[in-house]
Amino acid sequence: MSTYEDAYKKLAGCGQTHLLKFYDELSSEKKAALCDQIMATDFSVVDALSHEAENTARGELRPLKTMQIPEIDERREEFFECGMEAVRAGKTAAVLLAGGMGTRLGSPDPKGMYDVGISRRVYIFERLVTNLLAVTRKAKQWIHLLIMTSDKNDEKTRDFFKKNDFFGYNPAYVQFFVQDMAPTVGFDGKVLLESKDRISTSPNGNGGWFSSMVRCGLIDYLKEDGVEWLNVFGVDNVLQSICDPVFIGATILSGCASGSKVVRKTSPDEKVGVMCLEDGKTAVVEYSEMTDEMRNAKDDDGNYQFYYGVILNNLFRVDALEKVMDEKMTYHIARKKINCIDGNGDKVEPEEVNGCKFELFIFDLLRDIPGCLPFEVVRENEFAPVKNKTGADSVESARRLLLMNGVKL
Ligand code: UTP
């Protein structure tokens, strides 16, 4: 158990002693819990605030060649055989990133518990498991499914899977792990308190999954079971295919240590991150970081050069990930409305952005991995993200796409 003295010393070293302001008012149990939380928190992430300009400066951006649908169609059988062999040999595992807050969807439950059905219940988690089951049935081989949650949604997620009998999946092949959290700060760089006895924290972004898996021993466990590749995917794309043998085979045969499913943009102005090379290394450049000139740049054949958007479905070779673990990842800063308490201990539910969250991005992992294959998929068949309730990338648009693909809702 950590003591007040330990906690004070740690906070004094990083200018955050205000977090103990209400300490004397707390019960002994809460005092201990607050000290434990302080000792377990990595306050160095806050340094990202003073390095924001240098961290966000981009290097030289160049196009990265995508493997496009005609080439994939031509070699589909060859890719399928190679990928299926890896799946049958138990060399692939699936990692579902479900630690996000799903703020835009605005549901109090984890996003995967959202029901996208119309006349029957169709939960997002169920859709994803059904898609993975399509591969395990073909392969006659179970695939490890690792589900990343956060402190905020772990219990509900686990209960939901249990209550629904894992949607037909083999529970022996499902493992949950909790991602790391990062403290949140006000614009003055002071860490916020959620209540008098708790620091305000938020999940540390979708890039922290591998280090979180290493920390809890899951990577060793998977390696011992022969897993060599991880297919990592987000919770919100209800149409995505998981551990797709064609994608796995294409990546293996390309010799790259990672692959990234991408879709052709609908226009130069579509607001998605696109794959490219930055100073010769694989990167994703956000729409907002691209100049008009880049968005409209064409090659000699008249094809747009920065035109393949990422959909958060990536394949990584485990040994390559282990090698880049020593590289320190950069925290990105997201300015958000953050509920907290003020200096008087009164609750604040801000109407305007009042602070910053710190997030690691999954695509930053690609930078130091030897090679990434951008692999085009048919957008209407594989990309139906649920980000919002209505409008673009919403429950409504995802339902339309599911129905178009013959899914009963
Ligand atoms: P988003 O960037 O869409 O964030 O996550 P979100 O939290 O789900 O939604 P908003 O922005 O609050 O509305 C993309 C994917 O990354 C996962 C999400 O669960 C989703 O699958 N993610 C995001 C994590 O697992 N952890 C995080 O800390 C952030």
Side-chain angles (χ1 to χ4, degrees):
M1 203 177 65
S2 326
T3 63
Y4 175 87
E5 286 70 30
D6 294 334
Y8 187 87
K9 199 168 154 206
K10 181 170 180 184
L11 294 178
C14 54
Q16 303 286 357
T17 49
H18 64 283
L19 295 174
L20 288 166
K21 181 168 183 188
F22 303 103
Y23 184 83
D24 291 336
E25 297 175 30
L26 306 176
S27 66
S28 50
E29 215 171 272
K30 287 189 169 168
K31 279 180 175 157
L34 177 59
C35 290
D36 282 347
Q37 193 194 12
I38 290 168
M39 294 313 288
T41 300
D42 176 8
F43 292 101
S44 71
V45 302
V46 178
D47 296 345
L49 274 182
S50 45
H51 297 289
E52 191 178 11
E54 71 205 69
N55 286 346
T56 50
R58 304 293 321 221
E60 190 200 12
L61 302 173
R62 294 191 153 275
L64 172 63
K65 197 173 173 312
T66 296
M67 181 180 272
Q68 296 173 26
I69 289 166
E71 183 182 351
I72 296 168
D73 281 344
E74 221 167 83
R75 300 181 62 189
R76 186 167 292 277
E77 229 168 274
E78 178 196 358
F79 291 158
F80 179 85
E81 286 308 318
C82 170
M84 201 36 133
E85 197 183 304
V87 173
R88 285 203 183 105
K91 289 185 183 171
T92 58
V95 182
L96 164 56
L97 304 179
M101 305 280 275
T103 340
R104 284 169 286 174
L105 186 60
S107 159
D109 292 323
K111 197 187 262 189
M113 286 171 63
Y114 201 87
D115 176 10
V116 292
I118 297 171
S119 57
R120 63 184 195 108
R121 287 189 196 286
V122 181
Y123 300 110
I124 291 181
F125 281 139
E126 181 182 359
R127 281 289 323 136
L128 300 174
V129 171
T130 305
N131 288 356
L132 182 57
L133 277 169
V135 180
T136 60
R137 288 203 179 111
K138 237 183 235 168
K140 297 191 176 59
Q141 164 73 37
W142 287 106
I143 293 172
H144 287 289
L145 170 61
L146 300 313
I147 302 175
M148 182 167 89
T149 62
S150 81
D151 269 2
K152 312 261 179 199
N153 67 16
D154 183 63
E155 207 179 318
K156 275 190 177 175
T157 305
R158 287 175 196 250
D159 288 350
F160 193 66
F161 269 84
K162 266 190 216 126
K163 200 177 117 211
N164 288 285
D165 291 328
F166 292 79
F167 304 104
Y169 213 76
N170 181 345
Y173 279 79
V174 182
Q175 309 250 13
F176 297 87
F177 66 102
V178 182
Q179 76 174 99
D180 296 328
M181 303 291 281
T184 67
V185 295
F187 292 132
D188 56 1
K190 295 290 178 199
V191 172
L192 298 170
L193 280 169
E194 177 181 293
S195 57
K196 290 181 176 177
D197 60 323
R198 264 200 88 69
I199 300 173
S200 160
T201 58
S202 69
N204 73 343
N206 59 25
W209 63 274
F210 189 72
S211 53
S212 299
M213 277 179 82
V214 170
R215 187 176 37 71
C216 65
L218 269 176
I219 290 300
D220 284 341
Y221 166 80
L222 293 175
K223 275 178 19 188
E224 273 161 33
D225 212 31
V227 172
E228 293 176 10
W229 292 89
L230 299 175
N231 184 194
V232 188
F233 58 100
V235 73
D236 29 45
N237 177 8
V238 289
L239 264 186
Q240 68 191 316
S241 68
I242 305 155
C243 288
D244 167 7
V246 181
F247 175 42
I248 294 169
T251 306
I252 293 176
L253 293 172
S254 74
C256 291
S258 66
S260 188
K261 284 201 168 183
V262 293
V263 290
R264 222 180 121 76
K265 287 193 358 168
T266 48
S267 76
D269 288 326
E270 190 187 352
K271 294 189 171 63
V272 290
V274 301
M275 295 210 67
C276 63
L277 289 173
E278 178 175 13
D279 295 333
K281 295 181 166 189
T282 314
V284 170
V285 57
E286 294 304 329
Y287 175 83
S288 54
E289 297 172 309
M290 287 168 79
T291 57
D292 272 348
E293 195 190 333
M294 257 182 96
R295 282 182 207 128
N296 293 298
K298 289 187 178 175
D299 63 17
D300 293 344
D301 298 325
N303 300 312
Y304 286 110
Q305 293 191 294
F306 297 93
Y307 217 60
Y308 287 90
V310 285
I311 61 171
L312 193 44
N313 189 315
N314 281 68
L315 193 66
F316 292 97
R317 217 173 62 206
V318 177
D319 65 340
L321 281 168
E322 286 183 303
K323 284 204 186 100
V324 302
M325 267 295 283
D326 297 337
E327 310 289 332
K328 205 164 165 47
M329 287 181 80
T330 302
Y331 271 95
H332 297 257
I333 295 167
R335 290 173 172 76
K336 301 262 178 172
K337 292 182 218 165
I338 304 170
N339 289 348
C340 55
I341 60 167
D342 62 19
N344 300 319
D346 296 324
K347 272 203 159 132
V348 179
E349 285 180 12
E351 308 234 314
E352 300 295 327
V353 169
N354 65 327
C356 306
K357 295 184 174 182
F358 298 96
E359 295 181 343
L360 298 170
F361 287 175
I362 182 170
F363 298 115
D364 288 345
L365 278 170
L366 296 174
R367 188 182 48 215
D368 295 305
I369 288 190
C372 177
L373 176 74
F375 177 92
E376 186 189 4
V377 296
V378 178
R379 189 182 180 117
E380 295 73 23
N381 297 351
E382 288 203 31
F383 188 45
V386 178
K387 298 280 185 195
N388 308 298
K389 263 208 169 114
T390 53
D393 298 343
S394 67
V395 179
E396 284 171 354
S397 58
R399 278 185 183 142
R400 262 198 309 277
L401 285 158
L402 284 167
L403 290 170
M404 247 174 62
N405 280 277
V407 178
K408 288 204 180 73
L409 294 179

